[in-house]
Amino acid sequence: MATMNLGKVAFSWKGAWSSATTYAEQDVVSADGSTYVCIASAGSTNVDPTTVNNDWELFTSGFTGAAAGNGSIVYSDGTNLQTLAAGTAGQILTIDGATGLPIWTDAPHRSSVRVKNLPRRANASYRKAMVLMEDGFLKGWGHGGHYQLGQGANTNDKSYPTRVAFPAGFSGVKPAPPEWWKDTFYQDYAYCSMCIDNDGNLWTWGQNSYGNLGNGGTGRNDLPTNESLDANNSLYGKTVDYLAVPNGTGYSFTGTWAVCTDGTVHYCGYNGHGQSGQGNTNNTYNFVQFATLFYPQVQVVAGSINYPFAVMLDDQGVLRFIGYSGYTQNGTNTTNASIPQVINLGTNADGDPCVCAEIMEVNSRGVWIKDTLGDIYNWGHDSTNGWLGRSASGPHTVGLVMSHTTADIVEVVCNGDDAGYAMSSYMRAADGTIYSAGYNGHGQLGNGTTTARNVYAPVLNIPTNITKMIAGGSSGYPYWAALTADGKVYTLGYNGNGALANGTTSAISTPWEVPIQQTVVDIAPTGYSSEQGLLYLLEDGSLMSSGYGGNSQQPDDDAESFYVPMNVLF
């Protein structure tokens, strides 16, 4: 009987096609969502079945993109099948209202309960706090006196965060820019509050003893008022960029500098030291522009609230001073300036004229700058504890305090106030070293002792990945806190009301890691003097707080102090 060779009569499944495999006739593979059968009698090697070729035929049809990746989703767009790539952690699947198709989106949240920005500079504020929410509105709590919470004629304390009463159509508060000296919202110690909206308008509310609200007189603003709309203000027709906020615990002599996007500088309020830049000492009840600054100012940083002055750097690298200089804040002598005067920096380490590259810090009695070589200079009045790090107490003119060959300093902060109470200062280097000097009565210099020192030396046992420092406390109750790149917080110094969050009221002289399990993305001070507190912004937009609780500075009905971080409920 004759034998007939029928060849291969069964299909053979081979899985996903591979360019490295040699396939026989009638082998079946998958590729890009479809299956293909080999028709080449001599077999096939490295011939892509999805291309036009003579080795493969379509076996079963899928659709292009079905193998888009792990976690992808297949859906119909009404005509063809499509693939939606996997979303990211925490996202949810929803339907796009415009297309009717599935999309991934972030889980919805109420923007009025998530915090966007904390206050910027370490200005002292009497038993209250205010933060910017993701919805663009401010919420404040605590002491309600002087109408600073923006609740109209109501001066009751608020034991929970309450929205400032902006009018309908308000465009929202301008988010804080990255520069440390640029404030977009602000509460002074006890009298007034201000903010800049997203359109560059300035809003003010609160008390107004010296015309600091810019409303043309000394009458208060019970509710936020847009002073940029007043043609009597030099801000009219301009876009306000940021506020240069004075620091300190006084409130009798309040005034504020506003800097516009065109680099012009404007002032309003108390002018007893000529800080309005108009060549006189008359108080200004509307904002007035500095007429003798002929170049745009790239950095304006204010000093004391009781003895106001400011330091300004223009785009030509020229540094100027305005206002009170009783503590040598002008770098040369104790003569006040009512017209901006150039600060003579002398010569640099190379023997050339010293040129300022950046203002690093301005406090009530001292100024720090970095020159174009990277060296740090400072001047002002040193207490008997050596907070300027210049080896001696008393007044100091411009002088070198840290060479770039020793350390590349990237941040400077200091505490203390106008009243001559003991002060401390800190400098952070690019390599992570923290240098401290000055008063150390509560261990805030971080060397394990309470002995003052008048030269800078490293803080001991501190991580090298710190990204931000704050130095708060006044009237002899200083403290220090720092945030690291991985979201941890460390504290030092006075702790009489538990602000440093170690569960006690004992001072801390070696860095303490605050017990917060979540990642912290920002920190800010609250309170003043011994009544201080700390705010901690977490990566999910929630807020925690520690420290003094009087008048509901901690948003709690019992006005109790918190010795560890507690959640703030919005």
Side-chain angles (χ1 to χ4, degrees):
M1 182 176 180
T3 300
M4 181 178 293
N5 184 0
L6 299 177
K8 189 175 182 180
V9 296
F11 297 114
S12 180
W13 175 247
K14 298 299 182 181
W17 174 79
S18 170
S19 61
T21 301
T22 297
Y23 294 98
E25 187 177 10
Q26 292 190 277
D27 283 349
V28 179
V29 298
S30 64
D32 199 20
S34 297
T35 60
Y36 299 83
V37 59
C38 181
I39 60 173
S41 58
S44 177
T45 304
N46 196 27
V47 177
D48 186 346
T50 65
T51 63
V52 177
N53 63 83
N54 296 317
D55 288 8
W56 298 90
E57 281 187 353
L58 182 66
F59 193 63
T60 61
S61 178
F63 70 97
T64 301
N70 186 33
S72 60
I73 294 174
V74 177
Y75 69 92
S76 172
D77 64 4
T79 303
N80 297 302
L81 295 177
Q82 303 291 346
T83 298
L84 178 66
T88 58
Q91 287 189 312
I92 61 173
L93 191 65
T94 187
I95 300 299
D96 186 291
T99 66
L101 301 178
I103 59 171
W104 293 106
T105 186
D106 293 330
H109 66 270
R110 293 168 56 201
S111 58
S112 61
V113 301
R114 288 172 47 128
V115 177
K116 185 174 184 65
N117 288 140
L118 302 182
R120 300 301 295 273
R121 296 197 70 202
N123 61 287
S125 192
Y126 181 76
R127 299 182 180 180
K128 58 186 171 294
M130 183 177 289
V131 296
L132 175 59
M133 311 302 293
E134 286 191 351
D135 65 0
F137 285 87
L138 295 171
K139 285 189 175 180
W141 61 91
H143 185 256
H146 305 302
Y147 317 95
Q148 279 188 278
L149 296 181
Q151 300 297 307
N154 186 345
T155 58
N156 295 327
D157 296 345
K158 294 293 183 290
S159 60
Y160 55 90
T162 304
R163 179 184 283 193
V164 174
F166 292 101
F170 178 68
S171 66
V173 176
K174 178 182 178 180
E179 296 89 351
W180 62 267
W181 66 88
K182 291 186 175 182
D183 283 290
T184 59
F185 66 95
Y186 160 64
Q187 287 178 313
D188 76 359
Y189 169 70
Y191 258 33
C192 70
S193 301
M194 298 183 179
C195 76
I196 302 167
D197 70 19
N198 282 315
D199 298 320
N201 297 307
L202 179 65
W203 296 73
T204 69
W205 61 98
Q207 283 285 19
N208 192 28
S209 294
Y210 287 90
N212 44 287
L213 296 184
N215 63 10
T218 57
R220 70 180 191 241
N221 289 346
D222 289 345
L223 292 172
T225 302
N226 186 347
E227 300 300 348
S228 290
L229 297 180
D230 184 350
N232 293 311
N233 280 318
S234 58
L235 302 176
Y236 182 77
K238 291 182 177 291
T239 302
V240 182
D241 188 19
Y242 65 94
L243 300 171
V245 174
N247 53 46
T249 58
Y251 56 87
S252 298
F253 309 117
T254 305
T256 300
W257 290 265
V259 184
C260 293
T261 53
D262 61 2
T264 58
V265 181
H266 309 253
Y267 181 83
C268 190
Y270 176 72
N271 190 40
H273 309 292
Q275 60 267 25
S276 71
Q278 306 303 302
N280 59 53
T281 55
N282 301 323
N283 296 337
T284 61
Y285 304 112
N286 288 109
F287 279 90
V288 292
Q289 181 175 329
F290 283 49
T292 58
L293 298 175
F294 302 113
Y295 294 96
Q297 304 301 301
V298 297
Q299 196 175 6
V300 179
V301 188
S304 165
I305 193 170
N306 273 330
Y307 303 98
F309 71 96
V311 180
M312 301 169 281
L313 177 64
D314 69 20
D315 65 359
Q316 305 298 302
V318 177
L319 194 66
R320 290 180 172 85
F321 171 87
I322 190 71
Y324 183 80
S325 188
Y327 301 115
T328 323
Q329 293 100 318
N330 66 12
T332 303
N333 53 46
T334 58
T335 303
N336 299 343
S338 61
I339 296 292
Q341 68 175 43
V342 174
I343 298 175
N344 181 8
L345 299 178
T347 56
N348 64 19
D350 291 344
D352 299 319
C354 184
V355 177
C356 178
E358 181 182 354
I359 302 169
M360 301 297 291
E361 173 67 310
V362 177
N363 194 268
S364 56
R365 294 193 180 192
V367 179
W368 284 253
I369 64 109
K370 176 186 283 190
D371 77 354
T372 51
L373 297 180
D375 295 336
I376 300 297
Y377 294 78
N378 69 9
W379 59 89
H381 195 285
D382 207 330
S383 66
T384 57
N385 296 284
W387 77 304
L388 291 178
R390 298 275 290 275
S391 302
S393 60
H396 289 271
T397 58
V398 174
L400 178 68
V401 68
M402 182 75 74
S403 169
H404 72 279
T405 60
T406 300
D408 176 16
I409 300 300
V410 296
E411 184 183 19
V412 180
V413 298
C414 51
N415 48 36
D417 58 22
D418 314 300
Y421 292 102
M423 301 176 179
S424 312
S425 64
Y426 306 82
M427 298 195 294
R428 175 169 64 92
D431 66 2
T433 304
I434 308 297
Y435 298 89
S436 61
Y439 175 65
N440 196 29
H442 302 285
Q444 66 272 15
L445 298 188
N447 62 0
T449 77
T450 55
T451 303
R453 62 184 177 213
N454 59 14
V455 294
Y456 283 104
V459 173
L460 304 178
N461 303 313
I462 195 71
T464 59
N465 63 339
I466 288 173
T467 58
K468 178 180 180 178
M469 304 186 295
I470 59 175
S474 56
S475 303
Y477 303 99
Y479 69 94
W480 173 88
L483 175 66
T484 65
D486 56 353
K488 297 177 181 179
V489 179
Y490 291 82
T491 56
L492 284 167
Y494 179 79
N495 191 37
N497 287 289
L500 305 190
N502 69 347
T504 77
T505 57
S506 300
I508 300 175
S509 60
T510 56
W512 161 261
E513 182 182 342
V514 174
I516 297 178
Q517 287 68 47
Q518 302 95 319
T519 299
V520 181
V521 296
D522 198 10
I523 55 176
T526 58
Y528 85 109
S529 187
S530 63
E531 300 177 357
Q532 63 220 200
L534 282 173
L535 299 176
Y536 314 85
L537 177 57
L538 308 184
E539 62 180 345
D540 63 358
S542 60
L543 186 68
M544 302 186 82
S545 181
S546 61
Y548 183 76
N551 288 94
S552 296
Q553 179 171 289
Q554 299 297 338
D556 175 82
D557 288 336
D558 299 322
E560 297 175 342
S561 298
F562 295 164
Y563 297 166
V564 294
M566 302 291 287
N567 289 101
V568 177
L569 302 180
F570 289 95

